[in-house]
Amino acid sequence: MFQPVPQRPDFPELEERILSFWRERRVFPKSLEQRQGAPLFVFYEGPPTVNASPGVHHALSRVFKDVFPRYKTMKGYYAPRKAGWDCHGLPVELEVEQELGFSAKQDIESYGVSRFNDRCRQIVLRHIEAWERLTERIGFWLDMDHPYITMDNDYIESCWWIMKQLWQKGLIYEGYKVTPHCPRCGTSLSSHEVALGYEETDDPSIWVKFRVADTRLLERFGADPKLPTYFLAWTTTPWTLPGNTALAVAPEAEYAIIEADGEQLILAQVLASQVITGNFKVIATILGAELSELHYEPLYKIPIGYSEQDKPAYRLIVGDFVSMEEGTGIVHIAPAYGQIDFEVGEKEGLPLVHSVDPSGRAKTFPSGVTPKYREEVLAGRVIPTFAPEVPIVPGRGKFVKDADKDILEDLKQRGLLYRSERIRHSYPFCWRCDTPLLYYAKETWYIKTTALKDRLIAGNDEINWYPEHIKYGRFGDWLNNNVDWACSRERYWGTPLPIWQCESCEGYDCLDSVAELKAKPGLSGFSEPLDLHRPFVDDITFSCPKCGGTMKRVREVLDCWFDSGAMPLAQWHYPFQNETVLRDGRFPADFISEAVDQTRGWFYSLHALSVLLFDRPCFRNVICLGHILDSEGEKMSKSKGNVIDPWLVLSRFGADALRWHLIVSSPPGNSRRLSWELVAESVRKFLLPLWNTYSFFVIYANIDKFDPRASSGGYRSELDRWILSELNRLIKDITDSLERYDPTSAGRKLEEFIDGLSNWYVRRGRRRFWKSENDADKQAAHATLYHCLVTLTKLVAPFTPFIAEELFQNLVRTFYPEAPESVHLADFPVADEAMIDDSLASDTRLAMKVSSLGRAARSKAGIKVRQPLSRVLINVKSSRERDALERVKSQVVEELNVKRVDVTVTPPPATATAEALAPEVTIDTELTPELIDEGLAREIVHRLQMMRKQAGFNIADYIETYYQGGPATQRVMERFSPYIRQETLSRNLIREAPPSGAYVESHRIASEEVVLGVRK
Ligand SMILES: [Zn+2]
Ligand SMILES: [Zn+2]
């Protein structure tokens, strides 16, 4: 006997039970052990940043990550799954800063880096526990007993080794470059991080007048020397104006000198009418090249260090980057605050003025130096002396975006502000702390990814992206526009750069291991137990091999994307341990999956490091997931209050329901909506139909003492052959979809199959299960349904592992103790293509289609299906369909409750639309007294069956039925007595008042009061 099955399953309770079962029986470890030595299926876990508890979007990727290793294991592969935790980086530091109420890096320094990092470590450890709990609860099988942890010394050491490899290939350099800089976090962001944080924002949009220093040069073009004359430039970052040291024009473009309101303005001729607000007169036009070398008065008199060869700043230069699309055709150049500005500044020898400090505050005493002067200072030829002067820049001490207002006000008062508006545009913000980023010149360590750009692009050719358009779209574009990877962070909690610099001769040394460090001459500050983090690693010094000076570590730590990108090697502590990783199949990965924003995050850092090190990609297949939205299609965010706590979903609906919804609701690459209702729907559409079919089977199989071991499997009805054909088609389809990394299509096929199984196979065959004779037909029905359900447990196992296990234990383990201990230790079904009967499938589809049209016609005419009709007329469009209908006629007769099916054929016109090719179904609505009586009999059977349920009888219980009613009731009860008794398992139909103890209901049937009573 099978275990009796509850009618209303409590999925969360069931899942908790299954979880203990898996734990106690060590099912996950066994699933690996039994495949040891089999072909490898390599999965890389993209390590989640454990700065907070996991959200529902994390559940999304974890569900997709789980499906494939489970499937591959059942297909015979050895699929180890090592967990990983990404521990370092700004997100964690920010958590601690928030806890401690810090607002700047200075707070951390005063608190103490050692204490600070210790708190980071504690936070990480705390969150890892939360991640482990959720991971287990959603059924994501991952080896969390042996995870890789990016903050471990071993992991850090592998990162050092990688850095050294790149160093030796000449791919690491320190550049003085403009980087996207977060003034709050006090660190540069890599360009993939910048890409994460673009937002629409409101900024000033201003046109500024730069007064021409000497107008005599313009006189020959007709300018009036008595009128004040200005170059007009446009900017959306007024805070960069004190840093201005040049203006750039396009050499080939025409510039106009115009006169308006008693002054002369110079700007690109094509833009004049857009920029100038009132009437104006064009006095002359000049080529941009002719403006070159003209000087203007600086907006702010900032002390500048010049070398002897330098030309004075505040002059016009020409550049091919000047756009005629927007602005004025004259570009304001501040070398400290823009990539192009910086490059132009180096080329033209312009002073670099930092009027803003790294925390984004306007300086009180800014000063500037030209590139040559800087060289002289570095060479020790000059000593910079900028005596503090009277503060000259407005907004000093304020954050740049606030200082903007002071600068505007100042320019306005001095008559230098031509126009001032606001602009709504896209501007990058720090993806972590939401502070506007500043493009800021400073010294930063780079990985020269551009040196291998072609190899990065070529490597991408070998990767299968799902969805495919990411490959040459989002990811391909990213590679095509590759820029060097700014990999250092001026922060605390991270993998320290393994680079030491000599205090005396400024020479560098990059180390690849702790062993190399320990062997250094003059080693000092090294203490055991070793912690490779700051500040301890900063205390370690050794002697400079060149000059004997002291080598000190540079202060930066590595971008945490470097940590995660290093995982293919660092998770194995390569090359210090597992030295065969690159040869034994553990590299590259067969499969990885994360959300689409990782194209510029983890997907990129993995790919970049792998190509730079080995000139080959490190993953073969990647599923790139869309985002999770709320039921309205809005992004989930704390501020909107529409975030769904995964634990609430799990405790209410269970993990299978959540998993099913996430997998099936939309293809992996699309965004998907999530709400209580949508998860509830996956219970209704998938879990319950599956459960109800299972429960139906168990009830009747137990009544009939069905033993699957005794079933011969000889005779099969057409319905049996049909569902077995569908089942094998399903196995084939699911296998194909999963091999193509498309679990969504596979899931949808499963839904369709279960719908056909419960709404056609079981419903059409219901009578076979409850008829009293235990003949070959009934045996075949049991055996076929049993086979379908057992196969289903294995097919759904990768998707909804809990319900699969529950069914498998009861259906299989009850009779086959020698079967695998768990469905997840079983083999994935293989389709028997000989069982697939395409014509039977299409015939049955036609029967279904015609039945559904017939039911629609009945409902339109207001006639219940229980009311038999004399005839249905079906007009089909081809003789092929007519022949098919002839074969499935008996099913249509029963399904539509008609006495006769008449089929006609009308070939459609050649121009027929697809819709016109559908069969037409017409019902004969004329009711004879005989038909009406038969309908009444069915109605009474229906009421009695409902009453049996209400009375709590078992399905196999025989009963006595009592009735009282008018003449119609009496006539029907007598005439259809055998039918009614058989359908309701009534020994007798007794025309008298029900005795006490019977279950009684009154009904109104055919305008008569009818009292019905049932008792065992
Ligand atoms: Zn920030
Ligand atoms: Zn030295």
Side-chain angles (χ1 to χ4, degrees):
M1 279 254 293
F2 299 103
Q3 284 291 319
V5 173
Q7 294 282 320
R8 282 197 200 85
D10 177 348
F11 289 120
E13 182 274 329
L14 174 158
E15 292 178 358
E16 294 288 354
R17 204 155 33 73
I18 298 289
L19 283 173
S20 333
F21 171 80
W22 287 342
R23 259 194 308 266
E24 281 158 22
R25 307 288 187 98
R26 297 181 61 254
V27 178
F28 172 45
K30 280 180 189 164
S31 76
L32 294 170
E33 285 156 16
Q34 77 171 22
R35 300 295 192 201
Q36 286 251 354
L40 261 176
F41 177 75
V42 181
F43 165 75
Y44 286 168
E45 162 69 338
T49 310
V50 275
N51 67 313
S53 296
V56 78
H57 53 292
H58 297 114
L60 169 70
S61 58
R62 292 180 107 57
V63 165
F64 275 85
K65 289 172 183 183
D66 187 54
V67 170
F68 293 92
R70 277 187 189 270
Y71 164 72
K72 287 289 180 179
T73 301
M74 293 178 80
K75 285 297 268 185
Y77 287 82
Y78 176 53
R81 285 150 254 179
K82 195 177 182 63
W85 308 115
D86 196 0
C87 310
H88 285 147
L90 260 186
V92 181
E93 291 195 30
L94 283 175
E95 280 291 310
V96 176
E97 284 189 74
Q98 256 167 26
E99 267 187 21
L100 298 173
F102 290 175
S103 59
K105 284 171 78 178
Q106 194 44 52
D107 297 334
I108 299 172
E109 303 272 355
S110 349
Y111 182 76
V113 174
S114 162
R115 281 170 78 198
F116 181 80
N117 275 355
D118 205 43
R119 289 193 83 118
C120 290
R121 188 191 301 273
Q122 294 316 318
I123 275 210
V124 164
L125 291 173
R126 197 165 73 223
H127 290 309
I128 285 179
E129 280 175 33
W131 276 85
E132 286 174 340
R133 277 198 305 129
L134 186 85
T135 303
E136 192 196 11
R137 181 61 190 86
I138 61 173
F140 177 25
W141 275 0
L142 193 64
D143 181 3
M144 295 187 286
D145 295 334
H146 311 92
Y148 67 88
I149 300 177
T150 62
M151 66 183 176
D152 284 353
N153 278 352
D154 283 355
Y155 197 94
I156 292 173
E157 193 178 27
S158 287
C159 290
W160 281 16
W161 181 84
I162 293 171
M163 275 299 278
K164 178 71 173 271
Q165 304 307 303
L166 302 180
W167 179 272
Q168 285 170 338
K169 287 170 191 256
L171 294 172
I172 306 285
Y173 68 95
E174 191 183 28
Y176 197 67
K177 261 196 171 180
V178 174
T179 60
H181 167 84
C182 174
R184 202 221 70 93
C185 300
T187 186
S188 299
L189 273 68
S190 63
S191 41
H192 39 280
E193 286 174 310
V194 176
L196 300 174
Y198 273 90
E199 286 172 27
E200 286 292 307
T201 187
D202 241 6
D203 269 321
S205 167
I206 63 167
W207 289 260
V208 183
K209 299 186 327 195
F210 293 81
R211 184 158 187 166
V212 180
D214 185 349
T215 51
R216 279 171 305 181
L217 281 165
L218 294 170
E219 269 176 58
R220 60 193 165 102
F221 298 108
D224 182 347
K226 291 186 292 298
L227 291 180
T229 307
Y230 302 92
F231 295 114
L232 208 51
W234 174 71
T235 182
T236 57
T237 49
W239 62 268
T240 60
L241 287 170
N244 170 281
T245 51
L247 293 172
V249 290
E252 309 293 335
E254 297 243 17
Y255 286 80
I257 304 174
I258 63 151
E259 191 193 324
D261 293 329
E263 57 189 19
Q264 298 177 115
L265 301 172
I266 302 172
L267 74 168
Q269 181 166 26
V270 290
L271 292 161
S273 55
Q274 289 172 32
V275 175
I276 305 303
T277 45
N279 291 331
F280 63 91
K281 186 171 89 194
V282 177
I283 297 168
T285 59
I286 327 171
L287 276 183
E290 293 175 290
L291 294 170
S292 166
E293 300 302 319
L294 284 182
H295 283 82
Y296 60 91
E297 293 174 5
L299 295 179
Y300 296 99
K301 291 204 172 58
I302 287 169
I304 302 286
Y306 289 104
S307 82
E308 279 180 6
Q309 305 117 325
D310 280 320
K311 286 192 246 176
Y314 308 107
R315 65 179 195 272
L316 268 78
I317 56 172
V318 293
D320 51 12
F321 54 87
V322 177
S323 155
M324 291 292 144
E325 304 294 314
E326 58 174 9
T328 65
I330 300 180
V331 174
H332 136 62
I333 302 288
Y337 305 122
Q339 184 61 42
I340 291 176
D341 302 53
F342 179 79
E343 285 164 15
V344 169
E346 293 293 295
K347 192 170 132 238
E348 299 280 344
L350 299 172
L352 184 140
V353 173
H354 257 317
S355 60
V356 169
D357 69 20
S359 72
R361 298 191 180 271
K363 287 184 183 174
T364 306
F365 301 111
S367 60
V369 290
T370 66
K372 284 209 168 64
Y373 185 80
R374 194 163 64 229
E375 273 171 34
E376 288 177 5
V377 173
L378 284 176
R381 290 198 291 273
V382 294
I383 296 160
T385 48
F386 295 119
E389 295 177 25
V390 184
I392 21 105
V393 177
R396 56 191 166 274
K398 290 189 182 173
F399 185 64
V400 290
K401 294 283 169 184
D402 304 315
D404 273 354
K405 293 180 204 74
D406 299 76
I407 290 168
L408 247 70
E409 189 51 39
D410 176 68
L411 292 175
K412 195 170 154 193
Q413 279 181 10
R414 291 159 56 200
L416 297 176
L417 188 62
Y418 178 70
R419 249 173 95 183
S420 169
E421 290 168 9
R422 305 287 294 176
I423 187 172
R424 191 145 188 87
H425 65 164
S426 178
Y427 190 86
F429 287 72
C430 176
W431 67 290
R432 273 297 161 190
C433 74
D434 211 30
T435 303
L437 299 180
L438 310 181
Y439 285 85
Y440 196 92
K442 60 180 174 182
E443 289 178 330
T444 299
W445 290 94
Y446 283 89
I447 300 173
K448 204 186 265 177
T449 52
T450 50
L452 280 99
K453 180 175 159 181
D454 292 345
R455 300 311 305 155
L456 288 169
I457 292 169
N460 185 32
D461 287 341
E462 296 171 39
I463 301 170
N464 296 316
W465 288 86
Y466 306 94
E468 209 186 335
H469 64 81
I470 305 280
K471 180 171 183 163
Y472 295 117
R474 221 177 150 109
F475 195 68
D477 287 347
W478 181 247
L479 298 179
N480 277 319
N481 297 308
N482 189 260
V483 291
D484 286 345
W485 180 353
C487 67
S488 64
R489 299 288 181 271
E490 305 98 302
R491 297 295 311 188
Y492 306 94
W493 180 238
T495 296
L497 253 72
I499 299 173
W500 269 255
Q501 186 176 22
C502 175
E503 279 188 324
S504 311
C505 73
E506 299 192 348
Y508 288 114
D509 198 357
C510 180
L511 309 190
D512 68 4
S513 61
V514 174
E516 186 182 359
L517 180 61
K518 272 171 99 167
K520 286 293 177 191
L523 185 70
S524 155
F526 187 95
S527 63
E528 312 261 15
L530 185 64
D531 179 353
L532 287 180
H533 287 100
R534 297 187 66 186
F536 312 106
V537 69
D538 299 341
D539 296 340
I540 305 175
T541 60
F542 53 88
S543 309
C544 172
K546 286 177 222 145
C547 76
T550 307
M551 299 292 285
K552 292 192 79 174
R553 199 189 71 83
V554 302
R555 282 296 169 264
E556 290 90 344
V557 297
L558 271 171
D559 177 5
C560 61
W561 296 108
F562 186 99
D563 289 359
S564 56
M567 65 70 66
L569 303 178
Q571 68 172 337
W572 303 113
H573 191 209
Y574 181 88
F576 309 101
Q577 284 174 281
N578 294 287
E579 56 286 355
T580 61
V581 159
L582 293 171
R583 316 189 287 277
D584 63 15
R586 284 183 277 180
F587 180 102
D590 289 299
F591 168 63
I592 61 171
S593 177
E594 292 294 337
V596 65
D597 47 11
Q598 297 296 334
T599 42
R600 289 159 188 202
W602 187 55
F603 296 150
Y604 174 67
S605 64
L606 269 184
H607 185 63
L609 288 182
S610 175
V611 170
L612 296 189
L613 290 171
F614 310 120
D615 193 17
R616 57 192 280 213
C618 69
F619 50 94
R620 295 191 175 102
N621 298 287
V622 47
I623 292 186
C624 218
L625 297 162
H627 293 292
I628 291 196
L629 308 172
D630 72 5
S631 56
E632 307 296 313
E634 296 277 333
K635 251 183 132 172
M636 286 190 186
S637 74
K638 275 193 189 136
S639 59
K640 284 189 196 130
N642 58 354
V643 175
I644 292 182
D645 177 356
W647 282 103
L648 293 178
V649 179
L650 292 169
S651 59
R652 192 160 146 194
F653 300 104
D656 278 346
L658 178 63
R659 291 173 65 112
W660 191 255
H661 173 67
L662 294 175
I663 294 166
V664 176
S665 60
S666 58
N670 295 15
S671 56
R672 66 206 65 228
R673 296 181 181 201
L674 183 71
S675 67
W676 297 104
E677 293 73 27
L678 289 168
V679 179
E681 197 177 294
S682 72
V683 175
R684 266 197 315 276
K685 277 179 70 180
F686 178 68
L687 293 179
L688 279 181
L690 175 58
W691 186 268
N692 292 340
T693 310
Y694 159 65
S695 137
F696 173 89
F697 168 78
V698 168
I699 289 168
Y700 287 98
N702 280 349
I703 289 172
D704 292 332
K705 309 211 166 26
F706 170 73
D707 183 340
R709 290 167 303 188
S711 116
S712 67
Y715 166 81
R716 283 197 184 104
S717 73
E718 186 167 80
L719 200 56
D720 296 333
R721 284 195 294 108
W722 169 72
I723 197 70
L724 292 174
S725 164
E726 294 291 291
L727 181 71
N728 283 284
R729 160 78 57 202
L730 176 73
I731 298 170
K732 194 168 178 302
D733 286 348
I734 290 187
T735 308
D736 288 351
S737 297
L738 290 182
E739 292 298 329
R740 279 183 285 112
Y741 290 89
D742 177 7
T744 305
S745 298
R748 289 179 179 172
K749 295 278 184 202
L750 269 165
E751 263 180 11
E752 279 170 33
F753 177 82
I754 286 171
D755 183 53
L757 181 67
S758 73
N759 285 325
W760 194 260
Y761 180 77
V762 169
R763 205 164 50 79
R764 295 254 14 83
R766 212 167 258 271
R767 199 165 288 281
R768 304 169 71 200
F769 292 94
W770 71 44
K771 67 185 174 186
S772 33
E773 47 298 11
N774 204 353
D775 57 8
D777 181 55
K778 187 183 227 178
Q779 275 298 316
H782 279 313
T784 306
L785 183 53
Y786 178 78
H787 177 68
C788 287
L789 286 168
V790 169
T791 309
L792 274 175
T793 63
K794 298 170 194 167
L795 292 176
V796 305
F799 302 89
T800 50
F802 297 92
I803 194 172
E805 189 72 281
E806 174 77 8
L807 268 58
F808 182 84
Q809 291 301 323
N810 195 16
L811 293 173
V812 178
R813 295 276 297 165
T814 307
F815 283 98
Y816 299 92
E818 73 283 8
E821 197 177 2
S822 155
V823 69
H824 304 288
L825 300 174
D827 287 345
F828 203 74
V830 177
D832 178 355
E833 304 218 12
M835 302 281 281
I836 300 177
D837 182 340
D838 286 328
S839 65
L840 179 58
S842 78
D843 290 357
T844 308
R845 252 196 314 279
L846 184 65
M848 288 171 156
K849 175 82 187 158
V850 165
S851 302
S852 130
L853 289 168
R855 277 193 298 271
R858 273 177 167 275
S859 121
K860 212 169 161 191
I863 303 172
K864 284 184 192 170
V865 179
R866 277 196 283 283
Q867 173 61 60
L869 296 174
S870 59
R871 192 169 85 103
V872 61
L873 183 76
I874 303 169
N875 183 266
V876 293
K877 310 299 171 182
S878 69
S879 50
R880 194 196 58 75
E881 282 186 326
R882 184 196 52 213
D883 297 346
L885 266 186
E886 288 301 331
R887 284 196 294 273
V888 296
K889 212 175 199 172
S890 64
Q891 303 195 37
V892 177
V893 164
E894 275 183 36
E895 194 59 25
L896 287 182
N897 193 13
V898 292
K899 299 295 167 198
R900 209 172 85 218
V901 174
D902 291 337
V903 184
T904 57
V905 182
T906 318
T911 57
T913 60
E915 206 170 313
L917 288 173
E920 293 161 64
V921 179
T922 318
I923 51 164
D924 184 344
T925 55
E926 202 188 301
L927 295 176
T928 62
E930 286 75 23
L931 288 172
I932 292 174
D933 275 2
E934 198 183 331
L936 280 179
R938 287 193 177 227
E939 188 62 39
I940 289 168
V941 165
H942 172 65
R943 304 288 169 115
L944 285 170
Q945 275 164 346
M946 299 305 286
M947 286 174 65
R948 288 181 57 105
K949 262 191 204 166
Q950 285 297 322
F953 298 160
N954 282 329
I955 279 168
D957 287 343
Y958 275 84
I959 58 166
E960 297 291 350
T961 296
Y962 298 85
Y963 70 96
Q964 289 176 298
T969 308
Q970 199 179 322
R971 185 178 67 241
V972 167
M973 280 297 203
E974 281 166 12
R975 203 174 137 202
F976 292 93
S977 172
Y979 164 73
I980 296 172
R981 281 188 288 116
Q982 191 196 346
E983 293 291 311
T984 61
L985 296 187
S986 298
R987 283 185 291 262
N988 300 293
L989 304 179
I990 305 160
R991 186 160 67 91
E992 52 187 57
S996 65
Y999 176 78
V1000 182
E1001 282 182 6
S1002 292
H1003 293 278
R1004 193 158 183 87
I1005 301 171
S1007 330
E1008 290 180 0
E1009 278 306 324
V1010 182
V1011 175
L1012 294 174
V1014 292
R1015 77 169 181 154
K1016 272 204 254 191

